[in-house]
Each structure stands twice: as C-alpha cells, then as structure tokens.
Amino acid sequence: MIASDLDGTFFSSERGEVARNIEKIRYFTENGGLFTFSTGRIYPHVLSCAPNAPSYVNCPMVSCNGMCLYDIVEGRAIEEHFADSDLIADVTDFVYARYPSVAFRGVGRDGIITFQPENRFIKGEMELKIGPTFIVEREKWRGEKFHKLTLRDKPDVLARVKDEIAERFPNKFNLCYSEPTLLEVQPFGVSKAGMLSELRDMVSEDGKKRVLYAVGDYGNDLEMLKMADVAVCPANALDEIKAICDLCLCENNEGVIADLIEYIETKI
C-alpha cells in the first residue's frame, strides 16, 4: 500500500501529474497494490490538479491532514472531523489583531473560505484558480464550519505567529508547515498518521495489515512517515524529512512514485 503526499511529492513543481508516475501506478494497482493520497488538500483542490485521479487511486484518500477520509471514486466522505468553530474564531481574532497581513483560509468541505478578498495572498490564489474559494463577511467567520485553518504570509511572520499561537493556546492545536508560506492550524492530536492508521486497518485482509509505504517531503508529513513501515521521500524533501526516511529517491519532477514502485518490484 502506497500513500503519497501531493505538493512537492506526487505533483511536479508546476503542480501537475507526472506521466511516469501514472503509468507505474496503474501497473501497481492492476497487480493488487493499493494507491492513495495523504494530503493537506481537500477533494476539490485535488481534482483541480489531478483530474484523472479517480481512475488510478483505488483506496480512500486521507485529506485535510487527517481531518477527512474521502472516497475519491464515489465522491463522498467516509469519515470527517471539524475544528471547534469558536476556538478557530478565537485564534483568528488573536492573530489578526497582531498580524493584519496574514491571510486566513478556513478549509471547509467544499473549498477555501476567507473574509479577505483583497489580501494579496488570497488574490494570488484566486487568480491561480486552484479550487473553489468562498468569501464571507468577517462578522460571520465565527459561525463557519472548518476542517482546519491555514495561514499564509512570509516565513518570518509565520514563525512568530506559530510561536505566539502555541503560547496563547497550549495543547489546542497541531501547528505545522505544508510549505514555507503556509502554516497549518488544526485540532490537537489530529494528523495524517492517525487517519492513515485507520485506513490501513480498514483495508487489511483476514486481519493481516498491508505493508505501508508513505511518501512525503515536508513538515506536515513527519508523523505519517514515522508511523509507516517504510518512509520514503523525494530528493527535494526537507533535510529533516530525509533524516527519518528509509528511502530517498528521485525528485518529484522525475516521478518519485514510479521510482518507489520499481523499488518494490525488486523486493517481491
């Protein structure tokens, strides 16, 4: 069973599918292997970059960094969790009062929700059309239902924000980066690793768990890689990720999943 992160891992640097990966994944699944994604993205944002995913992903997808388990073929959530809306509103008020340049992105079931259409980061994302974005009034933010909150700004700003959230709201959130300018804020104790563990139990056969190969490149992949039977990363991964991986293969642009499948073949 292979579970792959998307950005910086499965996707190319242009955030598209790599043909070599798709060819090898089809071979892998046709011969009894399971392949899925384990990502911080939600389903609509996955399809915006991987429109053919339902044709080669043959296992439920871990999305929103473990907040949701999604059947990508049937287009439905199997299991999902939501953050405490009041707590998300409280952390929003706390950060916004100190760092008004930060872009606030509430990640809902159907897309990104924000109250900052004029924020330069939000405008940039909307121009890229990476998925649905919904605008709400600031006053209605507290009542919205989010899987998680993500904050976008310059790395030095986010570093300060991360420290201040951790100090002001101890043991309330998991805080990690999915890229240098994107800080993930989600309920404490929820991660890709937890949901991926549930998924592996779900697809076990006769009580026998499949060997799990997890592939990732960044901070939000850390726990998933630690719990996998075999931790794998592309050559472009962070050094701290490389340090815990069993395998470091080619760069994402060259088809790291294809490399992994070729490696697995040598072990059969």
Side-chain angles (χ1 to χ4, degrees):
M1 176 180 175
I2 299 173
S4 176
D5 174 49
L6 286 176
D7 298 283
T9 303
F10 177 80
F11 286 152
S12 68
S13 298
E14 288 72 39
R15 293 185 174 174
E17 295 167 311
V18 177
R20 179 171 173 252
N21 281 337
I22 307 305
E23 179 184 350
K24 283 292 184 179
I25 290 167
R26 293 192 193 283
Y27 168 81
F28 180 71
T29 57
E30 287 168 2
N31 287 276
L34 295 180
F35 177 79
T36 191
F37 297 135
S38 185
T39 176
R41 289 179 178 242
I42 53 174
Y43 179 61
H45 289 181
V46 172
L47 285 189
S48 69
C49 297
N52 298 313
S55 71
Y56 57 81
V57 172
N58 66 341
C59 189
M61 172 182 74
V62 175
S63 68
C64 257
N65 285 335
M67 294 296 286
C68 184
L69 185 64
Y70 199 90
D71 189 319
I72 199 168
V73 176
E74 296 185 6
R76 66 179 181 89
I78 297 172
E79 179 181 344
E80 59 185 335
H81 306 278
F82 292 93
D84 183 304
S85 57
D86 285 333
L87 193 55
I88 290 293
D90 288 345
V91 78
T92 299
D93 291 343
F94 175 76
V95 174
Y96 191 55
R98 291 159 178 76
Y99 300 94
S101 66
V102 169
F104 292 81
R105 306 161 73 255
V107 181
R109 178 183 290 147
D110 300 315
I112 300 298
I113 303 170
T114 184
F115 57 87
Q116 301 165 290
E118 298 306 315
N119 180 282
R120 66 188 181 96
F121 297 104
I122 299 296
K123 290 174 71 173
E125 289 184 357
M126 293 178 71
E127 289 171 1
L128 290 173
K129 298 180 180 179
I130 60 172
T133 299
F134 306 97
I135 309 299
V136 300
E137 296 177 3
R138 176 75 178 87
E139 294 73 21
K140 295 182 179 180
W141 184 258
R142 183 171 290 273
E144 291 292 336
K145 196 173 184 180
F146 303 133
H147 287 305
K148 63 178 181 177
L149 176 67
T150 57
L151 308 178
R152 191 177 287 283
D153 208 321
K154 296 182 294 184
D156 61 316
V157 174
L158 291 182
R160 296 196 298 273
V161 169
K162 182 175 182 288
D163 288 344
E164 291 184 27
I165 292 176
E167 182 178 355
R168 176 64 179 81
F169 300 91
N171 300 321
K172 296 296 184 182
F173 297 106
N174 274 355
L175 303 168
C176 65
Y177 295 99
S178 52
E179 56 185 77
T181 60
L182 193 65
L183 178 64
E184 308 267 353
V185 182
Q186 62 188 76
F188 187 76
V190 177
S191 69
K192 290 182 180 182
M195 190 65 82
L196 196 54
S197 179
E198 288 189 33
L199 175 59
R200 183 163 64 162
D201 290 340
M202 186 184 302
V203 300
S204 63
E205 296 178 333
D206 299 324
K208 184 178 180 180
K209 293 184 179 181
R210 289 178 179 256
V211 175
L212 174 61
Y213 294 81
V215 195
D217 71 303
Y218 221 83
N220 62 328
D221 301 315
L222 194 62
E223 292 183 31
M224 170 182 77
L225 293 168
K226 287 181 177 179
M227 64 80 62
D229 295 304
V230 183
V232 186
C233 69
N236 53 281
L238 294 180
D239 287 342
E240 66 178 292
I241 297 298
K242 291 178 180 178
I244 65 161
C245 283
D246 302 295
L247 298 172
C248 182
L249 303 174
C250 69
E251 291 190 356
N252 60 320
N253 290 325
E254 298 169 355
V256 65
I257 304 303
D259 259 19
L260 173 57
I261 292 170
E262 290 176 356
Y263 168 83
I264 293 172
E265 284 185 280
T266 69
K267 300 299 179 181
I268 297 175

